[in-house]
Amino acid sequence: MDIKQLIYLCNLERERHFGRAAEASFVTQPTLSMRLKNLERELGLSLINRSNNFAGFTPEGDRVLAWAREIVSVYQGLKLEVESLKHGVNGTLRLGVVPQCSVALPLLLKAVQARYPQLDYRIAVLSADQLLEALNSHTVDVGIGFFEMATLRELHFQTAMLADRGVEAIFHPDHFPQLVASGPLTLNELAQQPLCLAEPTRYFRRYLDMAFREAALVPRVVVESASVMQLMQCAQVGLGLLISPVGHLLPGSLQGLHQRPIQLQPMAREAALVIAEPGRATPLAQHFFDEARGQLPV
């Protein structure tokens, strides 16, 4: 058994396809298949369900895969630590983020860049549930999203809380002059306006939908999208009101738009910056976490 075989196994889990897993591993598909079959022979176990295509892992494969993730994560962490000892903190940090949270991610990355200018980022946009799964499987190094605190404590994650400054409606005053004011909007007032919201599968959208249901209101949602940029553009041209956590959007992107707070109960989940527990977090993740939590707004 060698580390490459375990990396191939993890890549196969992520890609769910032999050809794509081979590409991700920078080998040919026959080479990947041969190395994985050699691993099965060495362990004396069948790890992969095979038909004409990849058909998932056997129960034994799932057990071995859990160990493979841990070993590969430690191995990659060791490589990064050696590189940081030689060249300073550098490399690519894998970030998993939800589409709408209470921090403007570019501002946070820019602040961290002042300390670690050689740090690069690969950002994956995930749902809140996908993000927790990605953190558990080590497919992302850092998570920024909505979490249940009891779950984070149970899994021993390191956590930096993000400030909860409430929720706001964002709209163009030329298209909604009747809403230009400074006081908070009620759910009843929102339900009478066209809205631009995240997809129903997103936690923030589910939170809004529950608030409307509990108030016995049926809002008019004119645009649904997983893309915050699309929702922003729809608000810019006056299709409707964008509802967002306060602090999520860059101030410069709100030029010409009006913001009003919304009267809502706090979310059940809390927004946080999360990495694995000390000793299991990669060196890059730990450096980023230590610097970023000092940059978070309070």
Side-chain angles (χ1 to χ4, degrees), residues 34-64:
M34 179 191 68
R35 295 301 303 277
L36 291 178
K37 286 179 180 177
N38 289 343
L39 177 62
E40 289 177 311
R41 279 196 293 268
E42 183 177 345
L43 297 176
L45 294 170
S46 176
L47 306 178
I48 302 164
N49 292 317
R50 293 178 174 86
S51 57
N52 291 332
N53 298 300
F54 174 73
F57 294 95
T58 65
E60 295 81 4
D62 285 331
R63 296 285 295 275
V64 171

Side-chain angles (χ1 to χ4, degrees), residues 98-101 125 168-172 176 194-200 202 204-205 208 220-245 248-249 253-254 257:
V98 300
Q100 292 175 302
C101 206
V125 178
E168 63 185 358
I170 299 169
F171 58 92
H172 200 294
F176 298 95
L195 303 179
C196 304
L197 303 180
E199 290 179 333
R202 304 296 184 177
F204 183 70
R205 171 64 185 278
L208 295 175
R220 182 188 173 207
V221 182
V222 295
V223 177
E224 295 178 338
S225 177
S227 167
V228 176
M229 177 62 71
Q230 290 294 330
L231 296 175
M232 280 288 297
Q233 291 175 339
C234 290
Q236 284 279 3
V237 301
L239 274 173
L241 283 65
L242 166 61
I243 301 180
S244 175
H248 168 67
L249 299 169
S253 68
L254 298 173
L257 296 175

